[in-house]
Amino acid sequence: TPAVIFEALSQGVPVICLDHCGQGDVITPDCGVKIPVTTCWQVIREFAQAIHYLAINPQERQRLSEGALKRVNEFTWSRKAQAMAAVYESAIYNWSKIKHI
């Protein structure tokens, strides 16, 4: 996931991005707008529409801004460490079950 995604969220900036790779997993309807990966011209149109929509809708920008500040807190280092520990614990548990077969 590009660091700029987290930088924007941490400043309360709603994100408009492609629904692709890491940013597609991070951005939700509560903190930004995801553009589907389709054709070049369709992506350009949808980016322009999203920018225009947010430019003329201050209430929506405010809602997404508040959501951005909440969302970024889900990606702290301590939460990442907890998630990784859970992955390792699951792998160890599953490995112990497999090796007895």
Side-chain angles (χ1 to χ4, degrees):
T1 303
V4 70
I5 297 295
F6 298 112
E7 291 170 359
L9 295 175
S10 74
Q11 299 303 305
V13 176
V15 173
I16 302 171
C17 66
L18 289 174
D19 188 5
H20 185 64
C21 298
Q23 63 266 12
D25 295 328
V26 172
I27 302 305
T28 68
D30 294 325
C31 65
V33 178
K34 294 191 289 189
I35 306 298
V37 177
T38 55
T39 67
C40 180
W41 292 111
Q42 185 63 29
V43 166
I44 292 168
R45 275 191 294 279
E46 291 194 35
F47 262 101
Q49 289 169 351
I51 292 167
H52 181 258
Y53 176 76
L54 292 180
I56 64 171
N57 288 288
Q59 298 88 356
E60 182 66 359
R61 283 195 317 272
Q62 182 61 39
R63 184 186 74 79
L64 293 175
S65 177
E66 291 167 6
L69 293 170
K70 290 178 186 173
R71 183 69 169 145
V72 76
N73 287 323
E74 297 176 29
F75 294 92
T76 62
W77 283 110
S78 61
R79 288 195 184 217
K80 288 182 181 188
Q82 291 170 350
M84 286 304 297
V87 168
Y88 283 117
E89 288 171 7
S90 176
I92 291 167
Y93 173 78
N94 288 324
W95 175 253
S96 68
K97 288 174 61 176
I98 293 172
K99 73 178 192 176
H100 293 283
I101 295 177

